[in-house]
Amino acid sequence: MRRFGQVLGIATENIPEYTRLHAAVWPSVLAMITACHIRNYTIFVKDNLLFAYFEYHGDDFAADMAKMAADPQTQAWWAINNPLQSPLPTRAAGEWWANMREIFHTD
Amino acid sequence: MRRFGQVLGIATENIPEYTRLHAAVWPSVLAMITACHIRNYTIFVKDNLLFAYFEYHGDDFAADMAKMAADPQTQAWWAINNPLQSPLPTRAAGEWWANMREIFHTD
């Protein structure tokens, strides 16, 4: 299992709508998350920052992310949510949510 | 169980030392974290942000945090680490790490 921490910006005025959408994520989107071997996935907000934590239980993260990105329901969900988000200018090439580096873990 | 997401700032020049310290956290500090009912605790870094995720399995978080804060070994650890950190001006009264609001979770 590989742990992921990811960060993304969000404008203050978009937080209420983003929160409302995430209180009722489409079942088809949740099913694709599960199909892509992601577990224990949580998103937090503070000020103008979104932080996501999840655990990846598959063996080919790039392939699972490509599978997710090819899903029409997920694409429709992203088309609604992405305009509410402000990705970090410092994110790596190809990233939307910027992956963070794990520096500590204890079970 | 209650999930926590927390954010804290860190100056670029302090990240190498903070990373080094967290690659070998004192056993006494880890034991107190466990004694305070914290599990699956991970810290991530990106740019000048630290994000922490953990799961609290106790029934009195304030009491467990007071217990941790009263531990001399934990105090000594914090005395070394806190000067490397830059808490958010927007943190709540009494916070060092700023607690974030959970807006989404799926198992």
Side-chain angles (χ1 to χ4, degrees):
Chain A
M1 184 272 283
R2 178 177 162 199
R3 286 172 292 271
F4 282 80
Q6 301 181 322
V7 58
L8 191 71
I10 186 165
T12 302
E13 61 269 26
N14 293 338
I15 293 174
E17 175 66 0
Y18 193 80
T19 301
R20 188 189 67 75
L21 286 162
H22 282 74
V25 174
W26 303 345
S28 55
V29 169
L30 296 177
M32 182 53 55
I33 288 170
T34 301
C36 292
H37 309 105
I38 287 172
R39 302 290 182 270
N40 196 23
Y41 184 12
T42 309
I43 298 176
F44 300 90
V45 64
K46 168 72 179 178
D47 301 339
N48 298 107
L49 292 170
L50 294 171
F51 169 48
Y53 171 86
F54 62 83
E55 294 160 0
Y56 177 68
H57 290 260
D59 54 18
D60 190 338
F61 186 69
D64 278 323
M65 292 306 98
K67 174 180 169 181
M68 184 180 290
D71 172 54
Q73 287 290 305
T74 298
Q75 290 170 2
W77 175 255
W78 287 349
I80 294 169
N81 283 274
N82 290 17
L84 303 175
Q85 303 171 323
S86 303
L88 270 57
T90 57
R91 69 191 185 281
E95 289 183 342
W96 181 259
W97 285 85
N99 284 305
M100 308 185 77
R101 178 167 58 90
E102 180 179 320
I103 59 174
F104 169 74
H105 177 75
T106 185
D107 290 330
Chain B
M1 183 272 285
R2 178 176 163 201
R3 287 173 291 272
F4 283 78
Q6 302 181 320
V7 57
L8 191 72
I10 186 164
T12 301
E13 62 268 27
N14 293 338
I15 293 174
E17 174 66 359
Y18 193 80
T19 301
R20 187 189 67 76
L21 285 163
H22 282 75
V25 174
W26 303 345
S28 56
V29 169
L30 296 177
M32 181 55 54
I33 287 170
T34 300
C36 291
H37 309 105
I38 287 172
R39 301 290 182 270
N40 196 23
Y41 183 13
T42 310
I43 298 176
F44 300 91
V45 64
K46 168 73 178 177
D47 301 338
N48 297 107
L49 292 170
L50 294 172
F51 274 112
Y53 171 87
F54 62 84
E55 295 161 0
Y56 177 69
H57 290 261
D59 54 18
D60 190 338
F61 186 69
D64 278 323
M65 291 306 96
K67 173 180 170 180
M68 185 180 289
D71 171 54
Q73 286 290 305
T74 298
Q75 290 170 2
W77 175 256
W78 288 349
I80 294 169
N81 283 274
N82 288 18
L84 301 175
Q85 302 170 324
S86 304
L88 269 58
T90 57
R91 68 191 186 280
E95 289 183 343
W96 182 257
W97 284 86
N99 283 305
M100 309 185 76
R101 178 167 58 90
E102 179 177 321
I103 59 174
F104 169 74
H105 178 76
T106 185
D107 289 329

